């Protein structure tokens, strides 16, 4: 039998420099992955367009997400979003004075049923 694991979401969350981010996998099973992301004073981050759905919860701090259609969304603690596969997005900015902490759940790609 495998023993339970415990941790604190904030452990290891301080990126080395402003504009940096750290990523830590907390668990993975069945093609899903749970990840902790810590962002510090990010400005105009890289664009992402993933082949899977991603559920993101902003735990601490603040952030603004931008999307390929030109829209933007501000997020604060407790706000979440579900980014569908193929949704082009990026982090435009995070709190310049504190670490922004995220919890991301990467869901396995859905395989359409055979015809």
């Amino acid at each position: 039998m495998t023993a339970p694991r415990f941790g604190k979401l904030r452990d290891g969350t301080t990126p080395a420099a402003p504009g940096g981010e750290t990523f830590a996998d907390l668990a993975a099973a069945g093609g899903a992955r749970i990840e902790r992301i810590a962002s510090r004073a990010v400005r105009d981050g890289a664009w992402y367009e993933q082949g899977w759905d991603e559920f993101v919860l902003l735990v601490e701090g603040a952030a603004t997400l931008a999307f390929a259609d030109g829209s933007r969304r501000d997020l604060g603690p407790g706000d979440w979003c579900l980014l569908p596969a193929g949704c082009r997005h990026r982090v435009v900015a995070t709190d310049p004075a504190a670490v922004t902490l995220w919890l991301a759940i990467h869901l396995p790609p859905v395989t359409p049923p055979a015809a």
Side-chain angles (χ1 to χ4, degrees), residues 17-114:
E21 292 188 297
T22 59
F23 301 86
D25 286 347
L26 303 178
R33 183 169 52 92
I34 301 171
E35 176 182 54
R36 178 192 64 226
I37 305 167
S39 307
R40 185 169 169 215
V42 170
R43 296 306 247 182
D44 298 323
W47 285 98
Y48 293 97
E49 187 173 343
Q50 301 159 165
W52 56 86
D53 293 348
E54 179 183 9
F55 175 90
V56 180
L57 170 67
L58 195 137
V59 178
E60 294 180 349
T64 301
L65 297 179
F67 300 92
D69 67 1
S71 65
R72 291 180 178 221
R73 181 69 182 243
D74 294 328
L75 300 174
D79 291 339
W80 61 268
C81 65
L82 181 60
L83 301 164
C87 177
R88 189 166 163 80
H89 66 282
R90 70 180 179 149
V91 177
V92 174
T94 64
D95 189 332
V99 171
T100 296
L101 184 60
W102 315 74
L103 185 66
I105 302 171
H106 301 269
L107 301 170
V110 176
T111 304

